[in-house]
Amino acid sequence: MNRFSVIEFIRRIYRLPQDYPELNWTRTDLYRRRLEQVKSGWIITGLIMLISGSTAVVCVLGAFATFLSLAFLEPENPPL
């Protein structure tokens, strides 16, 4: 059974090539492992936010976790 993929649908609409380097990075095992680690980090960060009860702490932790997530999911050798 074919699974509906939003990324594949958008790729077809804009006629992007199949071997697009940024898209291929999201299909690697390393990316999927990192994604699982980021998910776990967000769960832990969310629990800390709930425990803290302070709006300032929630904002700072949210911004910091977002930065770390984006930095961690970047490829090590970005295509030129």
Short mmCIF file of all heavy atoms in Angstrom, two decimals, residues 41-79:
data_model
loop_
_atom_site.label_atom_id
_atom_site.label_comp_id
_atom_site.label_asym_id
_atom_site.label_seq_id
_atom_site.Cartn_x
_atom_site.Cartn_y
_atom_site.Cartn_z
N GLY A 41 14.41 14.83 23.13
CA GLY A 41 14.81 16.10 23.76
C GLY A 41 13.64 17.03 23.95
O GLY A 41 13.54 17.71 24.99
N TRP A 42 12.74 17.09 22.98
CA TRP A 42 11.57 17.95 23.12
C TRP A 42 10.62 17.44 24.20
O TRP A 42 10.00 18.25 24.91
CB TRP A 42 10.83 18.07 21.79
CG TRP A 42 11.34 19.21 20.99
CD1 TRP A 42 12.14 19.16 19.90
CD2 TRP A 42 11.09 20.61 21.24
NE1 TRP A 42 12.41 20.42 19.45
CE2 TRP A 42 11.77 21.34 20.25
CE3 TRP A 42 10.36 21.31 22.19
CZ2 TRP A 42 11.75 22.73 20.19
CZ3 TRP A 42 10.34 22.69 22.13
CH2 TRP A 42 11.02 23.39 21.13
N ILE A 43 10.51 16.15 24.34
CA ILE A 43 9.66 15.60 25.41
C ILE A 43 10.24 15.98 26.77
O ILE A 43 9.51 16.43 27.67
CB ILE A 43 9.52 14.07 25.25
CG1 ILE A 43 8.68 13.76 24.01
CG2 ILE A 43 8.90 13.45 26.50
CD1 ILE A 43 8.66 12.31 23.62
N ILE A 44 11.54 15.82 26.93
CA ILE A 44 12.19 16.18 28.20
C ILE A 44 12.06 17.68 28.45
O ILE A 44 11.75 18.11 29.57
CB ILE A 44 13.66 15.74 28.18
CG1 ILE A 44 13.74 14.22 28.18
CG2 ILE A 44 14.42 16.33 29.36
CD1 ILE A 44 15.11 13.66 27.88
N THR A 45 12.28 18.49 27.41
CA THR A 45 12.15 19.94 27.56
C THR A 45 10.72 20.32 27.94
O THR A 45 10.50 21.20 28.78
CB THR A 45 12.55 20.65 26.25
OG1 THR A 45 13.89 20.27 25.91
CG2 THR A 45 12.47 22.15 26.39
N GLY A 46 9.75 19.67 27.33
CA GLY A 46 8.35 19.94 27.67
C GLY A 46 8.03 19.62 29.11
O GLY A 46 7.29 20.35 29.78
N LEU A 47 8.58 18.51 29.60
CA LEU A 47 8.36 18.16 31.00
C LEU A 47 8.99 19.18 31.94
O LEU A 47 8.39 19.57 32.96
CB LEU A 47 8.92 16.76 31.29
CG LEU A 47 8.17 15.60 30.62
CD1 LEU A 47 8.92 14.30 30.84
CD2 LEU A 47 6.75 15.52 31.14
N ILE A 48 10.19 19.65 31.59
CA ILE A 48 10.83 20.69 32.40
C ILE A 48 10.01 21.97 32.38
O ILE A 48 9.86 22.65 33.40
CB ILE A 48 12.27 20.94 31.92
CG1 ILE A 48 13.13 19.71 32.18
CG2 ILE A 48 12.88 22.16 32.60
CD1 ILE A 48 14.50 19.75 31.55
N MET A 49 9.44 22.30 31.21
CA MET A 49 8.59 23.49 31.11
C MET A 49 7.36 23.37 32.01
O MET A 49 6.97 24.34 32.67
CB MET A 49 8.14 23.70 29.66
CG MET A 49 9.19 24.17 28.73
SD MET A 49 8.49 24.28 27.07
CE MET A 49 9.91 24.77 26.12
N LEU A 50 6.76 22.19 32.03
CA LEU A 50 5.59 21.98 32.88
C LEU A 50 5.94 22.08 34.37
O LEU A 50 5.17 22.62 35.16
CB LEU A 50 4.96 20.62 32.59
CG LEU A 50 4.20 20.50 31.27
CD1 LEU A 50 3.79 19.06 31.03
CD2 LEU A 50 2.97 21.40 31.31
N ILE A 51 7.09 21.55 34.72
CA ILE A 51 7.50 21.56 36.13
C ILE A 51 7.84 22.98 36.59
O ILE A 51 7.52 23.37 37.71
CB ILE A 51 8.70 20.62 36.34
CG1 ILE A 51 8.24 19.17 36.17
CG2 ILE A 51 9.33 20.82 37.70
CD1 ILE A 51 9.38 18.17 36.13
N SER A 52 8.47 23.77 35.69
CA SER A 52 8.95 25.09 36.09
C SER A 52 7.80 26.04 36.43
O SER A 52 7.85 26.76 37.42
CB SER A 52 9.83 25.70 35.02
OG SER A 52 9.05 26.10 33.91
N GLY A 53 6.78 26.08 35.59
CA GLY A 53 5.64 26.95 35.86
C GLY A 53 5.89 28.42 35.63
O GLY A 53 5.05 29.26 35.94
N SER A 54 7.04 28.77 35.09
CA SER A 54 7.37 30.17 34.85
C SER A 54 7.33 30.44 33.35
O SER A 54 7.91 29.71 32.56
CB SER A 54 8.77 30.47 35.39
OG SER A 54 9.20 31.74 34.95
N THR A 55 6.68 31.53 32.97
CA THR A 55 6.56 31.88 31.56
C THR A 55 7.92 32.20 30.96
O THR A 55 8.21 31.83 29.82
CB THR A 55 5.63 33.09 31.39
OG1 THR A 55 4.39 32.80 32.03
CG2 THR A 55 5.38 33.38 29.94
N ALA A 56 8.77 32.86 31.72
CA ALA A 56 10.10 33.20 31.22
C ALA A 56 10.93 31.95 30.95
O ALA A 56 11.61 31.86 29.91
CB ALA A 56 10.81 34.10 32.21
N VAL A 57 10.86 30.99 31.83
CA VAL A 57 11.61 29.74 31.65
C VAL A 57 11.09 28.98 30.44
O VAL A 57 11.86 28.43 29.65
CB VAL A 57 11.54 28.87 32.94
CG1 VAL A 57 12.12 27.49 32.70
CG2 VAL A 57 12.23 29.56 34.08
N VAL A 58 9.79 28.98 30.26
CA VAL A 58 9.18 28.30 29.11
C VAL A 58 9.66 28.94 27.81
O VAL A 58 10.03 28.24 26.86
CB VAL A 58 7.64 28.33 29.22
CG1 VAL A 58 7.00 27.86 27.92
CG2 VAL A 58 7.17 27.47 30.38
N CYS A 59 9.68 30.26 27.75
CA CYS A 59 10.14 30.96 26.53
C CYS A 59 11.60 30.69 26.24
O CYS A 59 11.99 30.42 25.10
CB CYS A 59 9.88 32.46 26.66
SG CYS A 59 8.15 32.89 26.63
N VAL A 60 12.43 30.76 27.27
CA VAL A 60 13.87 30.55 27.08
C VAL A 60 14.15 29.10 26.68
O VAL A 60 14.92 28.84 25.74
CB VAL A 60 14.65 30.93 28.35
CG1 VAL A 60 16.10 30.47 28.27
CG2 VAL A 60 14.57 32.43 28.58
N LEU A 61 13.54 28.15 27.36
CA LEU A 61 13.75 26.75 27.01
C LEU A 61 13.23 26.43 25.61
O LEU A 61 13.84 25.67 24.87
CB LEU A 61 13.07 25.83 28.03
CG LEU A 61 13.81 25.61 29.33
CD1 LEU A 61 12.97 24.76 30.28
CD2 LEU A 61 15.15 24.95 29.09
N GLY A 62 12.10 27.01 25.25
CA GLY A 62 11.55 26.79 23.91
C GLY A 62 12.46 27.31 22.81
O GLY A 62 12.71 26.64 21.81
N ALA A 63 12.99 28.50 23.01
CA ALA A 63 13.91 29.09 22.02
C ALA A 63 15.20 28.28 21.94
O ALA A 63 15.70 28.01 20.85
CB ALA A 63 14.20 30.54 22.38
N PHE A 64 15.74 27.89 23.08
CA PHE A 64 16.98 27.13 23.10
C PHE A 64 16.80 25.75 22.48
O PHE A 64 17.64 25.29 21.70
CB PHE A 64 17.49 27.01 24.54
CG PHE A 64 18.84 26.36 24.64
CD1 PHE A 64 19.96 26.99 24.12
CD2 PHE A 64 18.98 25.14 25.25
CE1 PHE A 64 21.21 26.40 24.20
CE2 PHE A 64 20.22 24.53 25.34
CZ PHE A 64 21.34 25.16 24.82
N ALA A 65 15.70 25.08 22.79
CA ALA A 65 15.44 23.75 22.22
C ALA A 65 15.22 23.84 20.71
O ALA A 65 15.64 22.94 19.97
CB ALA A 65 14.24 23.12 22.91
N THR A 66 14.58 24.90 20.25
CA THR A 66 14.38 25.09 18.82
C THR A 66 15.72 25.26 18.12
O THR A 66 15.98 24.63 17.08
CB THR A 66 13.49 26.31 18.55
OG1 THR A 66 12.23 26.11 19.19
CG2 THR A 66 13.28 26.52 17.07
N PHE A 67 16.59 26.09 18.67
CA PHE A 67 17.92 26.29 18.11
C PHE A 67 18.69 24.98 18.05
O PHE A 67 19.29 24.64 17.02
CB PHE A 67 18.69 27.33 18.93
CG PHE A 67 20.14 27.38 18.59
CD1 PHE A 67 20.57 27.95 17.39
CD2 PHE A 67 21.07 26.84 19.45
CE1 PHE A 67 21.92 27.99 17.07
CE2 PHE A 67 22.43 26.88 19.14
CZ PHE A 67 22.84 27.45 17.94
N LEU A 68 18.69 24.23 19.14
CA LEU A 68 19.42 22.96 19.16
C LEU A 68 18.84 21.96 18.17
O LEU A 68 19.59 21.22 17.52
CB LEU A 68 19.41 22.36 20.57
CG LEU A 68 20.33 23.02 21.58
CD1 LEU A 68 20.23 22.31 22.93
CD2 LEU A 68 21.76 23.02 21.10
N SER A 69 17.52 21.92 18.04
CA SER A 69 16.89 21.00 17.10
C SER A 69 17.31 21.30 15.67
O SER A 69 17.67 20.40 14.91
CB SER A 69 15.37 21.09 17.21
OG SER A 69 14.94 20.71 18.48
N LEU A 70 17.25 22.56 15.29
CA LEU A 70 17.61 22.94 13.93
C LEU A 70 19.11 22.70 13.67
O LEU A 70 19.49 22.25 12.60
CB LEU A 70 17.24 24.39 13.67
CG LEU A 70 15.74 24.68 13.67
CD1 LEU A 70 15.49 26.18 13.53
CD2 LEU A 70 15.04 23.91 12.58
N ALA A 71 19.94 23.00 14.65
CA ALA A 71 21.37 22.80 14.48
C ALA A 71 21.72 21.31 14.42
O ALA A 71 22.59 20.90 13.66
CB ALA A 71 22.13 23.46 15.63
N PHE A 72 21.04 20.50 15.20
CA PHE A 72 21.34 19.07 15.27
C PHE A 72 20.88 18.34 14.02
O PHE A 72 21.47 17.33 13.63
CB PHE A 72 20.68 18.48 16.52
CG PHE A 72 21.20 17.13 16.90
CD1 PHE A 72 22.52 16.95 17.24
CD2 PHE A 72 20.36 16.03 16.91
CE1 PHE A 72 23.00 15.71 17.60
CE2 PHE A 72 20.83 14.78 17.27
CZ PHE A 72 22.16 14.62 17.61
N LEU A 73 19.83 18.82 13.37
CA LEU A 73 19.29 18.14 12.19
C LEU A 73 19.93 18.60 10.88
O LEU A 73 19.63 18.06 9.82
CB LEU A 73 17.77 18.32 12.11
CG LEU A 73 16.99 17.60 13.20
CD1 LEU A 73 15.52 17.92 13.08
CD2 LEU A 73 17.22 16.10 13.14
N GLU A 74 20.83 19.56 10.95
CA GLU A 74 21.54 20.00 9.74
C GLU A 74 22.52 18.93 9.30
O GLU A 74 23.14 18.27 10.14
CB GLU A 74 22.32 21.29 10.03
CG GLU A 74 21.49 22.53 9.96
CD GLU A 74 21.01 22.84 8.55
OE1 GLU A 74 21.80 22.82 7.61
OE2 GLU A 74 19.81 23.08 8.42
N PRO A 75 22.70 18.77 7.99
CA PRO A 75 23.72 17.80 7.55
C PRO A 75 25.12 18.29 7.89
O PRO A 75 25.38 19.50 7.94
CB PRO A 75 23.52 17.74 6.03
CG PRO A 75 22.74 18.94 5.67
CD PRO A 75 21.99 19.37 6.89
N GLU A 76 26.03 17.35 8.14
CA GLU A 76 27.39 17.73 8.51
C GLU A 76 28.15 18.34 7.34
O GLU A 76 28.94 19.23 7.51
CB GLU A 76 28.12 16.50 9.04
CG GLU A 76 27.56 16.05 10.37
CD GLU A 76 28.00 14.65 10.73
OE1 GLU A 76 28.61 13.97 9.89
OE2 GLU A 76 27.69 14.23 11.84
N ASN A 77 27.93 17.81 6.15
CA ASN A 77 28.57 18.33 4.95
C ASN A 77 27.50 18.84 4.00
O ASN A 77 27.06 18.10 3.12
CB ASN A 77 29.41 17.24 4.27
CG ASN A 77 30.50 16.72 5.17
OD1 ASN A 77 31.10 17.49 5.90
ND2 ASN A 77 30.75 15.44 5.12
N PRO A 78 27.05 20.06 4.18
CA PRO A 78 25.96 20.56 3.32
C PRO A 78 26.41 20.63 1.86
O PRO A 78 27.57 20.93 1.57
CB PRO A 78 25.66 21.94 3.87
CG PRO A 78 26.85 22.33 4.64
CD PRO A 78 27.53 21.08 5.09
N PRO A 79 25.49 20.30 0.94
CA PRO A 79 25.84 20.37 -0.49
C PRO A 79 26.08 21.80 -0.93
O PRO A 79 25.44 22.74 -0.44
CB PRO A 79 24.62 19.77 -1.18
CG PRO A 79 23.53 19.87 -0.19
CD PRO A 79 24.15 19.88 1.16
#
